[in-house]
Amino acid sequence: PIHHKGMEGVVPQASTGEIRQLHPEGGNYVKLRVGGRIQFDDLIDEHEKKYGALSKYSAEVNVPDEQQRWQSTNVERKLYSRITHRIEMA
């Protein structure tokens, strides 16, 4: 996994997530951490056995209900929380 902190100074974004300026700003301190591989297969397998297959990303354009496709259910949020916890403990 890769974790970075400080990129908000390099590429400032509005609260809506839109980039406020096109050119990166220099003079910022960015902390980058790279770690070893972390396995999540067991968490995903357990989730899919109980709730069915997770949605898969597609690069397809003009997919109906594009925004709704990215809305997570409560059980998906619980899975993401478990994945996040595993990353934090690594």
Side-chain angles (χ1 to χ4, degrees):
I2 297 173
H3 173 266
H4 61 79
K5 185 173 183 176
M7 287 297 291
E8 64 276 4
V10 177
V11 182
Q13 294 181 348
S15 60
T16 59
E18 295 176 40
I19 295 175
R20 292 192 304 198
Q21 64 187 47
L22 294 177
H23 305 295
E25 291 208 5
N28 290 282
Y29 178 79
V30 177
K31 185 176 184 177
L32 179 67
R33 297 182 346 169
V34 180
R37 185 179 177 125
I38 302 172
Q39 296 291 333
F40 305 110
D41 295 347
D42 60 317
L43 298 178
I44 294 169
D45 288 346
E46 179 184 326
H47 176 89
E48 289 186 331
K49 283 179 186 169
K50 190 170 184 178
Y51 301 106
L54 289 166
S55 297
K56 306 292 185 213
Y57 173 77
S58 169
E60 209 176 303
V61 180
N62 298 324
V63 176
D65 299 325
E66 178 71 21
Q67 289 300 319
Q68 186 175 1
R69 173 171 84 158
W70 290 106
Q71 293 178 356
S72 300
T73 65
N74 287 336
V75 294
E76 288 171 336
R77 286 189 190 104
K78 288 179 185 177
L79 171 63
Y80 306 154
S81 178
R82 293 178 71 197
I83 290 171
T84 300
H85 179 72
R86 186 165 293 177
I87 292 169
E88 291 173 343
M89 295 296 110

